[in-house]
Amino acid sequence: MRIYSAPDYYHASRIAANIISAQVIMKPDCVLGLATGSTPIGAYEQLVKWYEKGDLDFKEVRTVNLDEYCGLDETSDQSYRYFMNHHLFDHINIDKANTHVPSGTAADAEQACADYNEVIRSMHGVDLQLLGIGHNGHIGFNEPGEAFDKETHIVTLSDKTRQANARFWDGDLSQVPTHAITMGIKTVMQARKILLVACGEDKAQIMKDAFTGPITPEVPASVLQLHNDVVLVGDEAALQYLL
Ligand code: F6R
């Protein structure tokens, strides 16, 4: 496991964007696994800048996102499809038909999960999976206690996760969806390379638990200790117990 520490969020985001860029340059038709949340926004901003400078070309890139809230579609500004369009896809030359986010509004949710697994398989898997980490160690929306052998599935969001995300609904917990569709841990672990980004003092303890503690479903990100190509990028605050 390689660890890159940066003095602050801006520089951590640049390192993350550099790693994503390297993947796109090395394999222009690569499959990027993408994440939402606050953490990757800086990396996406940087990728857009490099695209605008002419340094990056996304026309052959394909993407699969980790997760989506149940009940929200791209018309909701809190949906992860909206987030991805807004922060990245609308600003680069990617073909939107090559971008995939799980459907949170499919009539048949089980079928939507199976279809998403098939999308990933049809692309021969993910080359580089970008991850954030929840305060409870979740990756994607794989909450503590989830089995490690799951592919895309529907989850009930934990109170901790809903409370953490209520900030996107002006703190109104009642607005935060109760369920989500997420790639499973098995799907994440099948990515050829994993890039996890964490910033801020509030992520320090979970980073310690996940990467120096026991491998347990109670800390979903701890499973990444078993992956043979993981890069951790963060600021010094988040990585303080790992340096
Ligand atoms: C987002 C996702 C989540 C977030 C995690 C951290 O697609 O899958 O696991 O990465 O909740 O969120 P932030 O970055 O907002 O702290």
Side-chain angles (χ1 to χ4, degrees):
M1 187 172 312
R2 186 172 283 273
I3 303 178
Y4 290 104
S5 167
D8 53 31
Y9 175 72
Y10 172 76
H11 290 94
S13 298
R14 276 183 67 98
I15 295 171
N18 258 308
I19 293 167
I20 298 167
S21 298
Q23 176 65 73
V24 171
I25 291 165
M26 297 277 287
K27 187 177 175 190
D29 62 347
C30 65
V31 178
L32 298 178
L34 298 177
T36 60
S38 328
T39 309
I41 292 175
Y44 293 154
E45 274 174 13
Q46 188 61 66
L47 290 172
V48 169
K49 280 189 194 138
W50 286 333
Y51 165 71
E52 286 168 348
K53 273 180 67 191
D55 290 344
L56 276 175
D57 183 357
F58 290 89
K59 72 173 180 299
E60 292 178 66
V61 170
R62 295 158 298 157
T63 68
V64 278
N65 262 78
L66 281 168
D67 42 17
E68 179 61 282
Y69 287 114
C70 288
L72 303 190
D73 65 17
E74 66 182 304
T75 60
S76 163
D77 61 5
Q78 294 304 339
S79 74
Y80 286 171
R81 164 53 82 176
Y82 182 98
F83 176 104
M84 290 310 303
N85 289 345
H86 180 71
H87 287 289
L88 187 63
F89 301 152
D90 285 344
H91 311 290
I92 58 176
N93 67 334
I94 199 161
D95 179 351
K96 284 246 183 89
N98 289 335
T99 68
H100 306 275
V101 179
S103 169
T105 53
D108 184 342
E110 291 307 319
Q111 189 58 47
C113 293
D115 291 348
Y116 206 65
N117 292 332
E118 198 41 49
V119 164
I120 297 169
R121 262 183 221 116
S122 70
M123 296 191 294
H124 306 293
V126 173
D127 291 298
L128 174 65
Q129 178 66 56
L130 174 63
L131 296 174
I133 184 169
H135 295 108
N136 60 4
H138 74 216
I139 46 176
F141 272 135
N142 294 281
E143 299 282 31
E146 285 275 0
F148 284 159
D149 63 351
K150 289 195 179 171
E151 297 185 293
T152 309
H153 61 293
I154 304 291
V155 290
T156 303
L157 297 177
S158 71
D159 290 345
K160 199 166 181 183
T161 296
R162 292 184 65 240
Q163 278 155 11
N165 289 2
R167 67 192 193 277
F168 299 114
W169 278 270
D170 293 328
D172 183 357
L173 188 61
S174 69
Q175 299 287 315
V176 185
T178 53
H179 291 80
I181 175 169
T182 184
M183 274 187 203
I185 299 276
K186 179 174 173 182
T187 330
V188 170
M189 289 295 281
Q190 284 169 343
R192 286 180 272 283
K193 187 174 196 74
I194 291 183
L195 165 61
L196 185 142
V197 186
C199 286
E201 176 82 33
D202 57 313
K203 295 285 173 75
Q205 184 61 46
I206 193 62
M207 288 297 282
K208 181 181 181 201
D209 294 347
F211 296 104
T212 67
I215 298 167
T216 164
E218 293 314 312
V219 183
S222 66
V223 73
L224 299 173
Q225 294 180 43
L226 299 173
H227 194 284
N228 65 5
D229 196 353
V230 175
V231 180
L232 303 183
V233 173
D235 62 7
E236 284 154 13
L239 301 181
Q240 59 185 285
Y241 300 121
L242 303 181
L243 300 173

